[in-house]
Amino acid sequence: MPYILLLFQYHYKYPHWSVSQMKTGIATTTMASLPQTIILFLLLLGAFAQARDPFACDSKDAKTSSLPFCKVSMPIPNRVTDLLGRLTMQEKVRLLVNNAAAVPRLGIKGYEWWSEALHGVSNVGPGTKFGGAFPGATSFPQVITTAASFNATLWEAIGRVVSDEARAMYNGGAAGLTYWSPNVNIFRDPRWGRGQETPGEDPVLAGTYAASYVKGLQGNNGDRLKVAACCKHFTAYDLDNWNGVDRFHFNAKVSKQDIEDTFDVPFKMCVQDGNVASVMCSYNQVNGVPTCADPNLLKRTIRGQWNLNGYIVSDCDSVGVFYNTQHYTSTPEEAAADAIKAGLDLDCGPFLAQYTENAVTRGLLKEADVNSALANTLTVQMRLGMFDGEPSAQPFGNLGPKDVCTPAHQELALEAARQGIVLLNNRGPSLPLSHLRHRTVAVIGPNSNATVTMIGNYAGVACAYTSPLQGIGNYAKTIHQMGCADVACNDDKLFIGAINAARQADATVLVMGLDQSIEAEFRDRTGLLLPGRQQELVSKVAMASKGPTILVLMSGGPIDVSFAKNDPRIGAILWAGYPGQAGGAAIADVLYGTTNPEGKLPMTWYPQEYVSNLPMTDMAMRSSPNRNYPGRTYKFYKGPVVYPFGHGLSYTNFVHTIASAPKVVTVPLDGHRHSGNATISGKAIKVNHVRCNKLSVGIQVDVKNTGSKDGTHTMLVFSKPPAGHWAPQKQLVAFAKVHVPARSQRRVGINIHVCKFLSVVDRSGVRRIPTGVHNLHIGGVKHSLSLQPATLGVIKS
């Protein structure tokens, strides 16, 4: 093959490679000494071969680029108004859908709104195309794994990397700028197939993740956007397909208390703290009304109360679903009108393009309603710079193939996996393994050589993979046996090879768990046990193993591994979630102690009995002894667990001491004497009657590492409020990370916003601050904090 063609082949396959790497890759050719200047010229030629033409306002088109909506110096609202005034009704309705049509007479190209970036630029959705100059993108751990790091700085850093790569692909004509991520639904039921996409079961954790990741994606350029993120799926959406009930037909019956206390919290934080550019409504109904047709949810809550600066989009074909499947309206025109009047701005699907014009003609909808919807989407496009002409001349216009899959990006993917791995059990201790004593390792299990499994769902094409087998192989000689042909593990044909490998090796690592054939979108689990005969394989291998047996679990949802937890022959258990493209390296680093584990579970691990008689369709969060209902999540469930929310061990020991914290905090009332319901513990003040602005509790905590290994401590702060039986038994109010060298101490400052995090929600859905003693728990340390209203006396309701 001619040398120049080889160069192009290597460039398109490995766009992140340096010139020296490229020359090394073709060093066997007769022209490997070709001058670097020529190589660089060829690389630049390849990089710009697929450069994107302007979306609109092309300076080469004098007729359209001089129009007012193209003038960057004008305020965006004025530009939007000008553009709307130039569009015909036929043109407008074709802009209401994800594959928005071109308007050639105004120099506007067609645009595909649907791209995904859940944990890296994804190939889900038609807006992104891998290949050519962009064969892959950095694939970070699945969100449930990254959430286990409890590291908001990491989440924002991942967002910055993902948006760098998204912008690079946009500049190269391979992606859009609107990404329908993250998924911030609550992981309410452990069987949910999409729980893996979420930051877990706690609303504050999910909301903090949402705001952090969105900030990383969208950038800090004022009102200008690097990419436009989207928090989904609003609201009370956490069932895909269970026991004959699917998300297209499901009516989630949710109390006002649970809506305010649980389901809406991450979305509110995403909008108000993250300033997200979009929110997606879900397929399901909430209390009999489709979310995408509910003005209380869309117009009054998201846009009215929370002040969304952006657009509201439907989940794909949601409008069609509530007409065709849920039969919510009599005609398609009524469905289109209901959606737009409720506050929907963009339809992922063809429905609004097909029926909106007729809805206007029949008087069901006004053209002004259509204009309002388009104003929101066009504003976001202008904030993205899509109407500013040549992309290469804009901020981020220099990003290209060289900025995708860079060594720094891939190192961050590895670090994210390290931080998200959770050490569940460690007898003896059995971990870390020793370089000297454990030189031969049997690596067994259906996920032992996993690659694509590690990136979970809503992923793209990874830059490269390091499987667990490869990762462990960097530390020791390996003996590899699958044990099961796949995670279904329907027979024992491969057991004997696995058992023999364990008998020979100095240590045995079983990499078991789930994959997308077990849990996925539209695939909820029926139970919590390991699939098929995996448990039998684990037990038999542990019985035969010459050395320590380590169980590594890949999964999005929790697994009941009580058998392994209680088996003295299983020395340690790790949960890796779906750890991304570098997951195998991260697992090996933890196994051998190069990395000291620091992850904490972002969801409760329940026993199988928990789901035996628990319908996924029951949305109630709080337990109800009267109807034998156990409640959901650590906040409301009081029964036995396999591992609790927030559980995670280290190779060292950390001790907390509260250095300073107030004992009494005065809650300033907003010029009134207001109160809430009397409870066993006292009174509770409505949050909207409190001057909340800077009302926070500052705590200083000393964290001492009493062990012999350096470690990063993940500190979780819980509060047990005094508000009686409608309050949670405890709730997460803060978390922080601190690196503490062995036998050293570090001080950590925590600020807890009183109105946001020390409040609870009453049965009417009203958020209140309970007065009286709140017990703050940090590890094994408790601090009592009394909240008292500034004005005492007889408080009238």
Side-chain angles (χ1 to χ4, degrees):
M1 181 183 291
Y3 187 78
I4 290 177
L5 292 180
L6 278 171
L7 278 171
F8 275 108
Q9 182 184 43
Y10 271 85
H11 165 59
Y12 283 116
K13 190 173 182 181
Y14 309 108
H16 53 287
W17 275 18
S18 65
V19 172
S20 61
Q21 285 175 305
M22 202 138 330
K23 291 180 73 175
T24 301
I26 51 177
T28 56
T29 67
T30 58
M31 297 179 64
S33 59
L34 197 68
Q36 284 198 359
T37 52
I38 295 177
I39 296 175
L40 284 169
F41 171 77
L42 290 167
L43 294 183
L44 289 170
L45 186 64
F48 289 104
Q50 297 185 20
R52 176 181 290 276
D53 292 330
F55 168 74
C57 305
D58 190 342
S59 60
K60 295 188 289 291
D61 184 351
K63 180 181 177 183
T64 59
S65 62
S66 61
L67 294 173
F69 70 80
C70 289
K71 295 188 182 299
V72 180
S73 59
M74 284 179 58
I76 286 178
N78 296 27
R79 297 171 68 189
V80 170
T81 299
D82 177 77
L83 176 53
L84 283 171
R86 298 175 186 276
L87 294 169
T88 68
M89 176 55 76
Q90 291 73 28
E91 290 166 337
K92 288 176 182 178
V93 299
R94 290 196 291 269
L95 297 178
L96 292 171
V97 291
N98 63 289
N99 57 337
V103 187
R105 66 182 185 85
L106 296 178
I108 300 172
K109 292 182 171 59
Y111 179 67
E112 177 54 67
W113 285 82
W114 182 8
S115 293
E116 303 276 356
L118 184 67
H119 50 108
V121 178
S122 170
N123 57 4
V124 176
T128 305
K129 299 287 188 294
F130 285 98
F134 301 99
T138 308
S139 193
F140 289 90
Q142 181 60 287
V143 175
I144 194 69
T145 309
T146 309
S149 72
F150 283 82
N151 188 343
T153 303
L154 172 67
W155 302 332
E156 187 169 344
I158 292 172
R160 284 195 297 271
V161 166
V162 173
S163 59
D164 274 354
E165 298 195 351
R167 266 284 175 173
M169 293 180 69
Y170 173 78
N171 292 339
L177 289 176
T178 47
Y179 289 84
W180 294 345
S181 305
N183 179 342
V184 298
N185 292 117
I186 295 298
F187 199 169
R188 174 187 62 93
D189 190 292
R191 294 164 290 189
W192 187 29
R194 300 188 73 177
Q196 60 182 294
E197 302 172 32
T198 77
E201 72 182 33
D202 181 78
V204 171
L205 171 62
T208 306
Y209 176 88
S212 302
Y213 187 59
V214 165
K215 287 175 183 176
L217 285 175
Q218 296 189 165
N220 55 355
N221 309 286
D223 200 43
R224 290 288 176 148
L225 296 167
K226 188 178 180 186
V227 303
C230 173
C231 279
K232 63 184 185 183
H233 314 78
F234 189 73
T235 184
Y237 170 78
D238 50 20
L239 176 149
D240 268 66
N241 188 11
W242 175 84
N243 201 29
V245 180
D246 66 44
R247 58 188 180 177
F248 306 121
H249 297 83
F250 182 49
N251 175 24
K253 297 177 181 177
V254 191
S255 70
K256 291 180 179 179
Q257 185 178 36
D258 287 340
I259 282 280
E260 173 67 26
D261 191 38
T262 299
F263 296 109
D264 282 7
V265 171
F267 293 94
K268 183 177 182 179
M269 293 177 69
C270 186
V271 173
Q272 295 189 333
D273 300 342
N275 197 26
V276 75
S278 177
V279 172
M280 176 184 286
C281 51
S282 53
Y283 289 115
N284 56 290
Q285 296 184 355
V286 173
N287 299 325
V289 183
T291 64
C292 293
D294 191 339
N296 286 317
L297 293 178
L298 308 188
K299 186 169 285 185
R300 298 189 186 100
T301 301
I302 298 174
R303 196 170 296 284
Q305 295 176 25
W306 301 345
N307 297 311
L308 172 71
N309 180 19
Y311 70 98
I312 299 174
V313 62
S314 74
D315 204 343
C316 292
D317 205 32
S318 283
V319 184
V321 165
F322 78 66
Y323 170 67
N324 291 305
T325 304
Q326 299 174 3
H327 308 296
Y328 184 70
T329 63
S330 300
T331 67
E333 290 80 12
E334 288 173 330
D338 280 3
I340 293 173
K341 287 192 292 186
L344 188 71
D345 303 311
L346 185 72
D347 178 19
C348 178
F351 201 92
L352 291 187
Q354 294 171 336
Y355 298 109
T356 298
E357 188 175 1
N358 280 345
V360 173
T361 301
R362 296 181 185 183
L364 300 171
L365 192 66
K366 297 176 182 177
E367 186 170 359
D369 297 320
V370 177
N371 289 345
S372 294
L374 288 177
N376 292 323
T377 55
L378 293 172
T379 295
V380 167
Q381 287 183 308
M382 289 189 181
R383 291 170 63 197
L384 287 163
M386 294 175 64
F387 285 83
D388 294 353
E390 176 57 48
S392 63
Q394 298 176 36
F396 317 111
N398 61 325
L399 296 172
K402 70 183 189 307
D403 302 294
V404 180
C405 288
T406 67
H409 292 181
Q410 297 193 64
E411 180 63 28
L412 186 64
L414 172 58
E415 178 59 25
R418 288 171 177 149
Q419 291 193 28
I421 291 173
V422 181
L423 177 60
L424 298 174
N425 248 34
N426 195 12
R427 296 179 188 276
S430 300
L431 290 179
L433 297 176
S434 166
H435 296 272
L436 297 176
R437 298 194 309 276
H438 306 117
R439 297 183 179 183
T440 303
V441 178
V443 185
I444 296 167
N447 284 331
S448 58
N449 201 24
T451 52
V452 175
T453 293
M454 296 193 300
I455 62 176
N457 70 350
Y458 277 80
V461 179
C463 310
Y465 292 104
T466 303
S467 73
L469 178 63
Q470 291 170 319
I472 295 167
N474 291 329
Y475 284 93
K477 179 183 177 182
T478 58
I479 306 171
H480 182 228
Q481 290 288 329
M482 291 287 285
C484 300
D486 51 35
V487 295
C489 198
N490 288 322
D491 58 58
D492 63 354
K493 293 177 182 177
L494 302 178
F495 280 22
I496 188 62
I499 291 167
N500 287 337
R503 285 175 176 151
Q504 300 172 45
D506 299 324
T508 297
V509 177
L510 287 143
V511 191
M512 314 298 287
L514 316 178
D515 64 15
Q516 301 306 302
S517 70
I518 305 295
E519 55 175 358
E521 184 170 17
F522 217 65
R523 183 175 292 125
D524 297 327
R525 287 192 287 164
T526 56
L528 304 182
L529 300 176
L530 284 169
R533 301 178 71 172
Q534 282 195 43
Q535 178 173 327
E536 182 184 349
L537 173 65
V538 171
S539 297
K540 287 185 174 180
V541 166
M543 187 178 295
S545 182
K546 182 175 78 172
T549 300
I550 314 301
L551 175 60
V552 177
L553 298 167
M554 283 192 194
S555 72
I559 305 171
D560 182 353
V561 287
S562 301
F563 80 95
K565 178 183 177 182
N566 298 324
D567 188 341
R569 295 164 300 193
I570 297 174
I573 306 174
L574 285 178
W575 176 69
Y578 293 122
Q581 64 175 50
I587 289 168
D589 287 346
V590 171
L591 290 174
Y592 273 89
T594 304
T595 294
N596 193 344
E598 60 193 80
K600 304 286 186 183
L601 289 178
M603 72 296 204
T604 302
W605 282 40
Y606 303 91
Q608 167 66 19
E609 293 73 27
Y610 174 78
V611 299
S612 296
N613 296 298
L614 179 63
M616 275 191 76
T617 50
D618 195 322
M619 300 295 291
M621 297 301 297
R622 286 157 174 79
S623 61
S624 175
N626 293 337
R627 60 189 187 98
N628 198 29
Y629 186 73
R632 297 184 181 272
T633 79
Y634 79 93
K635 293 175 66 175
F636 305 107
Y637 170 67
K638 299 176 183 178
V641 299
V642 181
Y643 295 108
F645 173 90
H647 174 74
L649 306 176
S650 170
Y651 293 151
T652 189
N653 297 301
F654 297 101
V655 176
H656 306 91
T657 305
I658 295 179
S660 67
K663 293 184 177 180
V664 179
V665 171
T666 300
V667 179
L669 302 183
D670 191 16
H672 301 278
R673 292 184 178 184
H674 292 286
S675 154
N677 300 328
T679 69
I680 295 171
S681 301
K683 301 290 183 178
I685 310 165
K686 288 184 178 179
V687 163
N688 61 3
H689 294 157
V690 174
R691 294 201 295 272
C692 289
N693 190 17
K694 295 182 179 179
L695 182 60
S696 63
V697 176
I699 300 175
Q700 298 290 318
V701 181
D702 288 332
V703 179
K704 186 174 183 179
N705 182 345
T706 61
S708 59
K709 296 181 182 295
D710 297 351
T712 297
H713 180 49
T714 303
M715 188 173 76
L716 308 184
V717 183
F718 294 93
S719 169
K720 181 174 178 55
H725 59 271
W726 43 262
Q729 54 185 344
K730 68 175 181 177
Q731 58 189 10
L732 184 71
V733 295
F735 52 88
K737 305 280 281 193
V738 58
H739 183 76
V740 188
R743 300 185 180 89
S744 297
Q745 181 172 294
R746 295 289 185 269
R747 180 161 291 184
V748 183
I750 293 285
N751 278 300
I752 304 170
H753 193 284
V754 172
C755 292
K756 286 184 179 179
F757 303 129
L758 295 182
S759 57
V760 297
V761 177
D762 68 17
R763 292 188 189 89
S764 300
V766 176
R767 187 167 289 277
R768 301 176 182 270
I769 300 170
T771 58
V773 175
H774 294 242
N775 289 315
L776 302 180
H777 296 265
I778 307 171
V781 177
K782 182 178 80 170
H783 174 76
S784 296
L785 171 72
S786 179
L787 298 183
Q788 297 296 335
T791 306
L792 299 176
V794 178
I795 302 178
K796 299 177 181 179
S797 60

